[in-house]
Amino acid sequence: MSRARVHLHSALFLAAVSARGTTTRVGARRGLSARPAPQEPGMEYQDAVRMLNTLQTNAGYLDQVKLQRGDPQTQLEAMVLYLARSGLQVEDLDKLNIIHVTGTKGKGSTCAFTERILRGYGLKTGFFSSPHLVQVRERIRINGQPISPELFSKHFWHLYHRLEETKDDSCVSMPAYFRFLTLMAFHVFLQEKVDLAVVEVGIGGAYDCTNIIRKPVVCGVSSLGIDHTSLLGDTVEKIAWQKGGIFKRGVPAFTVIQPSGPLAVLRERAQQISCPLYLCPPLEVLEEGGPPLTLGLEGEHQRSNAALALQLAQCWLQQQNHPGTGELKASRLNLLKALPLAPVFQPTSHMRHGLQDTEWLGRNQVLRRGPLTWYLDGAHTVSSMQACVRWFSQVLQSHEKPSCRPEVRVLLFNATGDRDRAALLKLLQPCQFDYAVFCPNLTEVSSTSNADQKNFTVTLDQVLLCCFEHQQHWSNLTEEQANQDLWRPPSPEPAGPASLLLAPRTPHTHSTSSLIFSCISHALQWISQGRDPVFQPPSPSWGLLTHPVAGTGASVLREAAAIHVLVTGSLHLVGGVLKLLEPSLSQ
């Protein structure tokens, strides 16, 4: 048995033993985890989250549903019925003045930019997004802040009991996890009397449960790519058809520059229902005649998201007859206009400050902690991983070496769902990591106190076996790269400007070493070696260092002048890392 496989078996054993006493039996009849007896309002936040978690579809039942998936239109109609049972009608959602945003990559960042811009106008904003990083209440925000634990608990129990009271034999009493949170967000925003709500689509668009919205003020489509293929289709064109499903008759919609195929699909979808669809000009066009725009989110790819956000905010202000919109200006922009071009305008001071002040954790985020620098980005598609590697490259190139002592690069990776893991890992190969670390999206081996990050849709065996597959992919890629290097003549110059390669580096004398840990905490303990001033676990699990790579690597990490750690592949992984590195986010 290989050393890697021995380590995996140890990880499986550790996780299984630790979780043995906390696993909940599955309610087979409905395919949902067994529910505790209904609680009374006034329970603690964690009690509400634990009850919410019972609405997650368990892993075994989920596999069955995938084989027997019903009509998606029927599923959307069921969401309308849930809304009615909760005490609302779809017409009530019109009062929220919604900005509805979909896309494959950048939709969350676009929403964050848009919300921050409009909040700067003195408007009271609601913002519904997914997934959460640390606490589930992050998904529902008022004026940019997650709703309080008390407000979450209040609205959760009100909605939960309302749905229990209105159940009958013809339907399941409770909607699934994401649907419940969508309903809850609508109730919170209406009760809090927001001036507008920015609503991020969950998956797709046409049949996403947020698409019960009938009259948004404006819609947006960020960059399109391949993701969730089992639900949305295996081509960008099929995915574009799903995304264009949020278009509404007479409601303005905006998208960014896309490949010709999916752009044509979006145009056809818009024309079919008389939706005016516009193409956003690049950000540099809006910068003409004024100072450059500064973005609060790092990465060149965020400029596309910011350009879309500016158009969404400008259109919303115009549709609501709000003063202070950007002044229109002439432009010499010459695009092949597959779509009408969105207005070119001078961003206002509110818009400029909004873009600059936007915060969106876990996306191109850097945490500098003594000798450790953590680079956090939840990229999980091929296109977003390409952007992540470019960003990581740029940040490292600007980094000054503190001394002649060696620096170490570490990859911490996990991927979930139907993503092409081998393709994602291949994109990361040029980063020349010294160590590749793989772990599931479990903050601790056993965590009975934190309900926010529980996931019943997969089993422990499944997630740990995925880590082993990631390690195998990485080993194969490293071996292929080593074989290619044997036959490649030395080149005095780095690759051209379009390359994803980082700054020139002394060639490795060894292949990247890889390790699997059973949880995020153990992975961080090994990577940081007690050198992160904030992350100081009380009892380091030195027993996990019996693996030869772990032992020798620990010495290297303790002696390194700097340790650069890229955490990527999953927003859930990034959230678990943030929970440990930034304890204040759990408060």
Side-chain angles (χ1 to χ4, degrees):
M1 184 177 291
S2 69
R3 288 173 176 171
R5 193 177 290 272
V6 168
H7 189 79
L8 172 65
H9 279 264
S10 299
L12 281 166
F13 176 76
L14 278 170
V17 169
S18 300
R20 191 172 293 157
T22 61
T23 303
T24 306
R25 288 188 177 273
V26 170
R29 183 172 62 88
R30 295 185 179 182
L32 300 176
S33 300
R35 299 192 180 95
Q39 306 288 325
E40 291 301 318
M43 297 292 287
E44 295 295 327
Y45 167 72
Q46 286 290 318
D47 294 312
V49 178
R50 289 188 188 98
M51 185 67 83
L52 173 66
N53 286 343
T54 67
L55 305 181
Q56 293 186 38
T57 308
N58 72 71
Y61 185 76
L62 196 62
D63 290 338
Q64 178 185 342
V65 169
K66 287 178 180 178
L67 295 174
Q68 304 173 345
R69 185 174 293 119
D71 176 22
Q73 183 61 40
T74 302
Q75 297 296 315
L76 197 59
E77 292 168 359
M79 184 65 180
V80 176
L81 293 177
Y82 282 125
L83 183 72
R85 284 175 50 203
S86 76
L88 296 176
Q89 300 299 319
V90 289
E91 293 78 14
D92 294 320
L93 305 184
D94 300 345
K95 304 171 188 174
L96 294 176
N97 301 316
I98 290 170
I99 299 173
H100 203 191
V101 181
T102 188
T104 304
K105 59 172 183 159
K107 58 185 168 74
S109 298
T110 297
C111 289
F113 279 130
T114 306
E115 183 278 331
R116 187 63 188 88
I117 289 169
L118 293 173
R119 184 165 23 115
Y121 279 85
L123 297 163
K124 185 174 184 179
T125 63
F127 180 11
F128 178 62
S129 65
S130 61
H132 61 278
L133 293 178
V134 178
Q135 298 194 61
V136 67
R137 59 192 181 89
E138 298 165 22
R139 297 180 183 227
I140 305 173
R141 296 171 182 258
I142 301 293
N143 286 334
Q145 295 300 311
I147 60 175
S148 68
E150 295 76 18
L151 194 62
F152 184 97
S153 300
K154 169 190 167 184
H155 284 284
F156 173 84
W157 290 116
H158 177 81
L159 178 58
Y160 187 93
H161 287 295
R162 176 78 187 201
L163 291 171
E164 278 287 350
E165 292 164 0
T166 56
K167 68 181 179 182
D168 58 38
D169 295 335
S170 65
C171 61
V172 176
S173 63
M174 288 293 159
Y177 186 91
F178 183 76
R179 291 183 175 201
F180 189 99
L181 286 170
T182 304
L183 293 172
M184 183 171 157
F186 292 147
H187 278 269
V188 170
F189 296 154
L190 286 166
Q191 287 288 318
E192 296 298 311
K193 295 181 171 54
V194 299
D195 295 312
L196 70 128
V198 180
V199 177
E200 178 190 359
V201 166
I203 295 177
Y207 304 118
D208 184 74
C209 67
T210 64
N211 207 30
I212 60 173
I213 298 165
R214 292 290 182 262
K215 291 184 179 179
V217 174
V218 60
C219 296
V221 182
S222 66
S223 296
L224 297 178
I226 299 291
D227 196 17
H228 299 295
T229 54
S230 62
L231 293 172
L232 306 180
D234 55 1
T235 69
V236 186
E237 288 75 18
K238 290 177 181 177
I239 291 171
W241 188 93
Q242 294 281 353
K243 305 291 184 182
I246 70 167
F247 296 155
K248 303 296 186 296
R249 183 180 304 277
V251 175
F254 297 84
T255 190
V256 297
I257 296 173
Q258 312 274 9
S260 58
L263 193 61
V265 174
L266 291 178
R267 182 180 66 237
E268 182 181 352
R269 288 283 266 168
Q271 289 173 345
Q272 287 173 348
I273 60 167
S274 301
C275 163
L277 177 62
Y278 301 95
L279 188 64
C280 296
L283 201 59
E284 52 266 26
V285 176
L286 301 185
E287 292 175 315
E288 290 176 357
L293 293 165
T294 303
L295 306 185
L297 305 183
E298 294 189 18
E300 186 67 21
H301 57 287
Q302 293 292 355
R303 291 178 63 81
S304 170
N305 301 327
L308 177 55
L310 284 170
Q311 294 292 343
L312 294 175
Q314 170 88 344
C315 181
W316 189 93
L317 292 166
Q318 289 176 332
Q319 294 286 100
Q320 299 299 113
N321 296 314
H322 195 284
T325 56
E327 182 180 350
L328 296 179
K329 62 180 182 180
S331 173
R332 297 187 298 273
L333 181 65
N334 184 22
L335 291 175
L336 295 175
K337 296 182 182 178
L339 291 173
L341 195 64
V344 176
F345 59 90
Q346 190 73 44
T348 66
S349 60
H350 287 311
M351 294 175 180
R352 290 180 173 276
H353 285 111
L355 292 176
Q356 184 172 353
D357 295 340
T358 298
E359 296 180 354
W360 196 227
L361 299 183
R363 288 82 170 174
N364 307 119
Q365 183 180 0
V366 180
L367 293 176
R368 292 184 171 86
R369 302 282 185 74
L372 283 117
T373 305
W374 304 89
Y375 305 83
L376 310 174
D377 188 68
H380 53 270
T381 68
V382 168
S383 52
S384 61
M385 189 61 76
Q386 289 172 330
C388 172
V389 172
R390 290 192 189 97
W391 162 70
F392 185 56
S393 167
Q394 292 166 357
V395 178
L396 274 189
Q397 285 174 348
S398 64
H399 164 73
E400 295 184 4
K401 292 188 176 182
S403 71
C404 59
R405 291 163 57 202
E407 297 190 358
V408 179
R409 295 176 188 171
V410 181
L411 170 66
L412 179 57
F413 179 91
N414 192 38
T416 61
D418 54 7
R419 274 92 194 193
D420 188 343
R421 292 95 183 277
L424 297 180
L425 289 167
K426 187 172 184 177
L427 290 170
L428 290 160
Q429 280 280 308
C431 297
Q432 297 180 330
F433 292 105
D434 297 283
Y435 298 97
V437 178
F438 306 101
C439 69
N441 299 337
L442 301 171
T443 308
E444 307 282 353
V445 172
S446 175
S447 178
T448 57
S449 61
N450 178 42
D452 288 275
Q453 295 181 325
K454 291 289 185 184
N455 182 2
F456 298 131
T457 65
V458 289
T459 66
L460 279 170
D461 284 1
Q462 286 173 333
V463 296
L464 284 164
L465 287 171
C466 280
C467 291
F468 178 70
E469 291 173 6
H470 297 155
Q471 187 186 48
Q472 291 294 97
H473 284 313
W474 186 261
S475 298
N476 293 339
L477 289 167
T478 303
E479 186 175 341
E480 290 173 12
Q481 184 65 47
N483 291 336
Q484 291 174 9
D485 290 343
L486 286 174
W487 299 99
R488 181 178 295 150
S491 173
E493 298 293 334
S499 171
L500 296 181
L501 289 173
L502 301 176
R505 203 172 177 215
T506 304
H508 281 267
T509 57
H510 63 278
S511 299
T512 303
S513 299
S514 61
L515 287 164
I516 297 174
F517 289 98
S518 56
C519 67
I520 297 170
S521 178
H522 289 170
L524 296 195
Q525 287 178 47
W526 182 80
I527 293 169
S528 63
Q529 291 298 310
R531 302 180 71 187
D532 186 304
V534 176
F535 177 65
Q536 294 289 328
S539 54
S541 302
W542 301 117
L544 292 179
L545 302 185
T546 54
H547 190 285
V549 171
T552 58
S555 300
V556 173
L557 290 165
R558 284 194 293 268
E559 296 298 323
I563 305 170
H564 302 279
V565 188
L566 176 61
V567 183
T568 191
S570 166
L571 273 170
H572 299 286
L573 173 67
V574 168
V577 170
L578 275 173
K579 173 178 170 58
L580 296 172
L581 296 183
E582 294 277 32
S584 61
L585 295 175
S586 299
Q587 297 173 357

